[in-house]
Amino acid sequence: FRYGSTATELGTGIAVADGRVFFGGVFNGFLDFGGTAGSVTSAGSLDGLVLAVDATTGAFLWASSFGGALADGNPRLAASGWRVFVDARFIGPADFDDGPGLAILQSVDSYDVALASYAASTGAFQWARVIFGGAGQQFEGGVDAAGSAVYATANSFGNRNGQVGGYQAATGNPIFETPTTGISPYDV
């Protein structure tokens, strides 16, 4: 199967769980997945995308997008049971719920990093939170999930510090996070 348009689409992440393959990436414009299957439209420049297909047949299952007026995305993915997790950058206000604008996160200065959860079976939004923000640019690192926890990393372009955190899979509440102040460059 091939999905695309005359605009930009780039892949940035992949995860497999429970008979599904999840692809993460960025896109611009409008993507139609065929007939009544579904479509997504970017809210601005580049937005993030999570696409689910059947692991056996490759058939389209669902797609969900997130972002705002500026360039967002580059999602890294992890899947565990009935959830798919997204570790991604965003700038300005960005909507993570692909719906009525109920999960809008605001970056502090430039790029910040969010962690979000979507239902693996439908793509329905579950929760989102900022995991690394502040002055300068922060970028996504990686994400993995095990049991009732999800772990994510991020890094900062300006001071070259990093963030490592563990979060409750059901709510996104922190289990632990590394300190981000008072550390020297390159520390995590």
Coordinates of all heavy atoms in Angstrom, one line a residue, residues 13-23 50-56 59 61-62 77-85 118-123 143-147:
G13 N 9.1 7.1 12.6 CA 9.0 6.1 13.6 C 8.2 4.9 13.2 O 7.3 5.0 12.3
I14 N 8.4 3.8 13.9 CA 7.6 2.6 13.7 C 7.5 1.8 15.0 O 8.4 1.8 15.8 CB 8.2 1.7 12.5 CG1 7.3 0.6 12.1 CG2 9.6 1.2 12.9 CD1 7.7 -0.1 10.9
A15 N 6.4 1.1 15.2 CA 6.2 0.3 16.4 C 5.2 -0.8 15.9 O 4.4 -0.6 15.1 CB 5.6 1.1 17.5
V16 N 5.3 -2.0 16.6 CA 4.4 -3.1 16.3 C 3.9 -3.7 17.6 O 4.6 -3.8 18.6 CB 5.2 -4.2 15.6 CG1 4.3 -5.4 15.3 CG2 5.9 -3.7 14.3
A17 N 2.6 -3.9 17.6 CA 1.9 -4.5 18.8 C 0.5 -5.0 18.5 O -0.2 -4.4 17.7 CB 1.8 -3.5 20.0
D18 N 0.2 -6.2 19.0 CA -1.2 -6.7 19.0 C -1.7 -6.8 17.6 O -2.9 -6.4 17.3 CB -2.1 -5.8 19.9 CG -3.3 -6.6 20.3 OD1 -3.3 -7.8 20.4 OD2 -4.3 -5.9 20.6
G19 N -0.9 -7.2 16.6 CA -1.4 -7.4 15.2 C -1.5 -6.2 14.4 O -2.1 -6.2 13.3
R20 N -0.9 -5.1 14.9 CA -0.9 -3.8 14.2 C 0.5 -3.3 14.0 O 1.3 -3.5 14.9 CB -1.8 -2.8 14.9 CG -3.2 -3.1 15.0 CD -4.0 -2.1 15.8 NE -5.4 -2.4 15.9 CZ -6.0 -3.2 16.7 NH1 -5.3 -3.9 17.6 NH2 -7.3 -3.5 16.7
V21 N 0.7 -2.5 12.9 CA 2.0 -1.8 12.7 C 1.6 -0.3 12.7 O 0.7 0.1 12.0 CB 2.6 -2.2 11.4 CG1 3.9 -1.4 11.2 CG2 2.9 -3.7 11.3
F22 N 2.3 0.4 13.5 CA 2.1 1.9 13.6 C 3.3 2.6 13.0 O 4.4 2.3 13.3 CB 2.0 2.3 15.1 CG 0.9 1.5 15.8 CD1 1.3 0.4 16.5 CD2 -0.4 1.8 15.7 CE1 0.3 -0.4 17.2 CE2 -1.4 1.1 16.4 CZ -1.0 0.0 17.1
F23 N 3.0 3.6 12.1 CA 4.0 4.4 11.5 C 3.8 5.8 12.0 O 2.7 6.3 12.0 CB 3.8 4.3 9.9 CG 4.0 3.0 9.4 CD1 2.9 2.2 9.1 CD2 5.3 2.5 9.1 CE1 3.1 0.9 8.5 CE2 5.5 1.2 8.6 CZ 4.4 0.4 8.3
V50 N 0.2 9.6 13.0 CA 0.3 8.2 13.4 C -0.7 7.5 12.5 O -1.8 7.8 12.4 CB 0.0 8.0 14.8 CG1 0.1 6.6 15.2 CG2 0.9 8.9 15.7
L51 N -0.1 6.5 11.8 CA -0.9 5.6 10.9 C -0.9 4.2 11.4 O 0.2 3.7 11.7 CB -0.3 5.8 9.5 CG -0.8 4.8 8.4 CD1 -2.2 5.1 8.0 CD2 0.1 4.9 7.2
A52 N -2.0 3.5 11.4 CA -2.1 2.1 11.8 C -2.5 1.3 10.7 O -3.5 1.6 10.0 CB -3.0 1.9 13.0
V53 N -1.8 0.1 10.5 CA -2.2 -0.8 9.4 C -2.2 -2.2 10.0 O -1.6 -2.5 11.1 CB -1.3 -0.8 8.2 CG1 -1.3 0.6 7.5 CG2 0.1 -1.2 8.5
D54 N -3.0 -3.1 9.4 CA -3.0 -4.5 9.8 C -1.6 -5.1 9.6 O -1.1 -5.0 8.5 CB -4.1 -5.3 9.1 CG -4.2 -6.7 9.5 OD1 -3.5 -7.5 9.0 OD2 -5.1 -6.9 10.4
A55 N -1.1 -5.8 10.6 CA 0.3 -6.4 10.5 C 0.3 -7.5 9.5 O 1.4 -7.8 8.9 CB 0.8 -6.9 11.8
T56 N -0.8 -8.2 9.2 CA -0.8 -9.3 8.3 C -1.1 -8.9 6.8 O -0.4 -9.3 5.9 CB -1.9 -10.4 8.7 OG1 -1.6 -10.8 10.0 CG2 -1.8 -11.6 7.8
A59 N -3.5 -3.6 5.4 CA -4.7 -2.8 5.2 C -4.8 -1.6 6.2 O -4.5 -1.8 7.4 CB -5.9 -3.6 5.3
L61 N -6.0 0.9 8.9 CA -6.9 0.8 10.1 C -7.4 2.2 10.5 O -8.6 2.4 10.7 CB -6.3 0.0 11.2 CG -5.9 -1.4 10.9 CD1 -5.1 -2.0 12.0 CD2 -7.1 -2.2 10.6
W62 N -6.4 3.1 10.8 CA -6.8 4.4 11.2 C -5.6 5.3 11.1 O -4.5 4.9 11.0 CB -7.3 4.5 12.6 CG -6.4 3.9 13.7 CD1 -6.5 2.6 14.2 CD2 -5.3 4.5 14.4 NE1 -5.5 2.5 15.2 CE2 -4.8 3.6 15.3 CE3 -4.8 5.8 14.3 CZ2 -3.7 3.9 16.1 CZ3 -3.7 6.1 15.1 CH2 -3.2 5.2 16.0
L77 N 7.8 6.4 18.1 CA 6.6 5.6 18.6 C 7.0 4.4 19.4 O 8.1 3.8 19.3 CB 5.8 5.0 17.4 CG 5.3 6.0 16.4 CD1 4.6 5.3 15.3 CD2 4.4 7.1 17.0
A78 N 6.1 4.0 20.3 CA 6.2 2.8 21.1 C 4.8 2.3 21.2 O 3.8 3.1 21.3 CB 6.8 3.0 22.4
A79 N 4.6 1.0 21.2 CA 3.2 0.4 21.3 C 3.3 -0.7 22.4 O 4.3 -1.4 22.5 CB 2.7 -0.2 20.0
S80 N 2.3 -0.8 23.2 CA 2.2 -1.8 24.2 C 0.7 -2.1 24.4 O -0.1 -1.3 24.9 CB 2.8 -1.3 25.5 OG 2.7 -2.2 26.5
G81 N 0.4 -3.4 24.0 CA -1.0 -3.8 24.2 C -2.0 -2.9 23.5 O -1.9 -2.8 22.3
W82 N -2.8 -2.2 24.2 CA -3.9 -1.4 23.6 C -3.6 0.1 23.5 O -4.4 0.9 23.3 CB -5.2 -1.7 24.3 CG -5.1 -1.6 25.8 CD1 -4.7 -2.6 26.6 CD2 -5.5 -0.5 26.6 NE1 -4.8 -2.1 27.9 CE2 -5.3 -0.9 27.9 CE3 -6.0 0.8 26.3 CZ2 -5.5 0.0 29.0 CZ3 -6.3 1.6 27.4 CH2 -6.0 1.2 28.7
R83 N -2.3 0.5 23.6 CA -1.9 1.9 23.5 C -0.7 2.1 22.5 O 0.1 1.2 22.4 CB -1.4 2.5 24.8 CG -2.5 2.5 25.9 CD -1.9 3.1 27.2 NE -2.9 2.9 28.3 CZ -3.8 3.8 28.5 NH1 -4.0 4.9 27.7 NH2 -4.6 3.6 29.5
V84 N -0.7 3.2 21.8 CA 0.5 3.6 21.1 C 0.9 5.0 21.6 O 0.1 5.9 21.8 CB 0.2 3.6 19.5 CG1 -0.9 4.6 19.2 CG2 1.5 4.0 18.8
F85 N 2.2 5.1 21.9 CA 2.7 6.3 22.5 C 3.6 7.1 21.5 O 4.3 6.5 20.7 CB 3.6 5.9 23.7 CG 2.8 5.2 24.8 CD1 2.9 3.8 24.9 CD2 2.0 5.9 25.7 CE1 2.2 3.1 25.8 CE2 1.3 5.2 26.7 CZ 1.4 3.8 26.7
Y118 N -2.5 7.2 22.4 CA -3.6 7.0 21.6 C -4.1 5.5 21.7 O -3.2 4.7 21.9 CB -3.3 7.3 20.1 CG -2.9 8.8 19.9 CD1 -1.6 9.2 20.0 CD2 -3.9 9.8 19.6 CE1 -1.2 10.5 19.9 CE2 -3.5 11.1 19.5 CZ -2.2 11.4 19.6 OH -1.8 12.8 19.5
A119 N -5.3 5.3 21.5 CA -5.8 3.9 21.6 C -5.3 3.1 20.4 O -5.5 3.6 19.2 CB -7.4 3.9 21.6
A120 N -4.7 2.0 20.6 CA -4.1 1.2 19.5 C -5.2 0.7 18.5 O -4.9 0.6 17.3 CB -3.3 0.1 20.0
S121 N -6.4 0.5 19.0 CA -7.4 -0.1 18.1 C -8.1 0.9 17.2 O -8.6 0.6 16.1 CB -8.4 -0.8 19.0 OG -9.0 0.1 19.9
T122 N -8.2 2.2 17.7 CA -9.0 3.2 17.0 C -8.2 4.5 16.7 O -8.7 5.3 15.9 CB -10.2 3.6 17.8 OG1 -9.8 4.2 19.0 CG2 -11.1 2.4 18.1
G123 N -7.1 4.7 17.4 CA -6.4 6.0 17.2 C -7.0 7.1 18.1 O -6.6 8.2 18.0
V143 N 11.2 6.6 22.7 CA 10.1 6.2 23.6 C 10.0 4.7 23.6 O 10.3 4.0 22.6 CB 8.8 6.9 23.2 CG1 8.4 6.5 21.8 CG2 7.7 6.6 24.2
D144 N 9.7 4.1 24.8 CA 9.5 2.7 24.9 C 8.4 2.4 26.0 O 8.3 3.3 26.9 CB 10.7 1.9 25.1 CG 10.7 0.4 24.7 OD1 9.6 0.0 24.3 OD2 11.7 -0.3 24.8
A145 N 7.8 1.3 25.9 CA 6.7 1.0 26.9 C 6.9 -0.4 27.4 O 7.3 -1.3 26.7 CB 5.3 1.2 26.3
A146 N 6.6 -0.6 28.7 CA 6.6 -1.9 29.3 C 5.6 -1.9 30.4 O 5.7 -1.1 31.3 CB 8.0 -2.2 29.8
G147 N 4.7 -2.9 30.4 CA 3.7 -3.0 31.4 C 2.9 -1.7 31.6 O 2.3 -1.2 30.6

